[in-house]
Amino acid sequence: MAGIRLALAYLIAHTFLSALAIRHVQIPVWVFAANLTAIAAFAYILARGRSGGFKSESVRWSVLWLPVLTFWICYGWSEWTLHAFHPPGETWDAAFIAIERQIGQPTLWMAKGGSSILTETASIFYASYYLYMLTLGVALTRRKEYKAFEEAVFAVSLGYAASYIVFALVPLWGPRWAFVDAGLLDVSEQQLRGGFVTDLLNQIQYGGVALKGGAMPSSHTSTGVVFAVWCGRIWGWKAGAAAWIVVAGMCFGAMYARYHYALDIVGGAALGMASLRLARKAVP
């Protein structure tokens, strides 16, 4: 039940961060109501687990899935917690741009002059992220490996929890917004042009659930690291090596499309490795 305990702890933290954010933004009452309801539900699940657990296999698997599903939902809710400590207009992107300038400003020049084929390829690699947890979940479910799945979910969830809290501490819009604001990128170049996947990502990133903020660290990368390591554990080193190539392509796509600075990727990778180590200790 380590994942449930982690999700419960984050929901309590999210409620606290939301209360702090009221100074800067208006937060709907339903957000607090949903938080408190979820906290009560998770507390009940923990109590049920201590008193004998869940006999039904389908219910047991649902409980194991619950933490990562909760953190996917909480990404949208971080729209409010982003402003727990900093007002909406405050951003530290200038500092990140200055740091990245020391290595040639890769997120600025990567996509300049890029062909539609390269752009679409980068987009496909980036979109592979949406299959990582599903792939691990299906594989471990078929194998009926409850402990392994709980450990993988805990590692992914810990990456999300840490990322969402750091988002509030480090206000960062991300390069696709900051480069335009700093005059380094014309607004006409902000959205890339490729094929179907590129257009779909543009809809998500500029008109969907993606937030303007919360770039550091990259939770996509932390999840990718967990995915690649677990692919190696499940299917052997060849599958692990292939997964690392896919994850590297996803990280390239994140910088190519200017969703993340290089420093965000490094931070996400470090978070993913730390989450894997902590998951080993947290799941007995």
Side-chain angles (χ1 to χ4, degrees):
M1 304 291 277
I4 296 294
R5 288 194 293 271
L6 175 62
L8 176 59
Y10 176 75
L11 286 167
I12 293 171
H14 184 275
T15 303
F16 175 71
L17 291 173
S18 298
L20 290 178
I22 291 177
R23 300 171 300 164
H24 301 133
V25 293
Q26 185 175 2
I27 300 178
V29 174
W30 69 261
V31 173
F32 293 99
N35 271 353
L36 294 176
T37 301
I39 288 170
F42 277 55
Y44 168 77
I45 291 171
L46 282 177
R48 178 71 180 273
R50 292 193 189 98
S51 64
F54 300 93
K55 306 302 182 183
S56 168
E57 187 173 6
S58 60
V59 173
R60 188 176 179 183
W61 277 112
S62 297
V63 170
L64 290 176
W65 265 108
L66 193 55
V68 73
L69 294 175
T70 300
F71 281 103
W72 284 345
I73 294 171
C74 284
Y75 171 78
W77 288 4
S78 67
E79 173 185 354
W80 297 288
T81 58
L82 281 173
H83 309 298
F85 304 105
H86 306 278
E90 184 174 345
T91 170
W92 293 1
D93 285 87
F96 277 68
I97 291 173
I99 293 171
E100 194 175 81
R101 190 174 293 122
Q102 304 304 311
I103 57 173
Q105 214 84 74
T107 52
L108 177 61
W109 60 257
M110 270 184 176
K112 282 187 175 291
S115 67
S116 59
I117 294 177
L118 176 59
T119 299
E120 184 70 0
T121 301
S123 296
I124 290 171
F125 271 107
Y126 181 79
S128 70
Y129 158 80
Y130 298 105
L131 299 176
Y132 294 166
M133 200 58 227
L134 180 62
T135 300
L136 295 181
V138 170
L140 293 172
T141 298
R142 292 183 63 183
R143 292 167 175 250
K144 298 185 182 299
E145 296 185 16
Y146 295 106
K147 180 180 180 297
F149 185 61
E150 185 176 8
E151 187 177 328
V153 165
F154 185 90
V156 169
S157 298
L158 183 58
Y160 286 131
S163 293
Y164 299 165
I165 292 172
V166 175
F167 289 171
L169 296 169
V170 183
L172 209 66
W173 289 355
R176 72 186 185 277
W177 303 104
F179 284 150
V180 173
D181 192 57
L184 298 173
L185 185 72
D186 189 82
V187 69
S188 64
E189 299 178 86
Q190 187 179 38
Q191 294 189 37
L192 302 181
R193 296 290 178 264
F196 172 78
V197 177
T198 302
D199 291 342
L200 180 61
L201 288 176
N202 281 339
Q203 293 178 29
I204 295 173
Q205 295 293 337
Y206 295 96
V209 297
L211 302 174
K212 184 179 182 180
M216 173 66 182
S218 166
S219 55
H220 284 63
T221 304
S222 65
T223 300
V225 167
V226 174
F227 167 73
V229 168
W230 270 98
C231 281
R233 291 177 182 177
I234 296 171
W235 294 294
W237 72 268
K238 291 183 179 179
W244 277 112
I245 292 172
V246 171
V247 171
M250 186 274 295
C251 294
F252 170 79
M255 291 191 292
Y256 182 92
R258 306 187 182 100
Y259 301 144
H260 285 288
Y261 299 104
L263 193 58
D264 304 339
I265 302 297
V266 173
L271 176 58
M273 295 304 296
S275 296
L276 283 163
R277 291 179 65 86
L278 291 170
R280 272 283 168 94
K281 298 179 180 180
V283 180

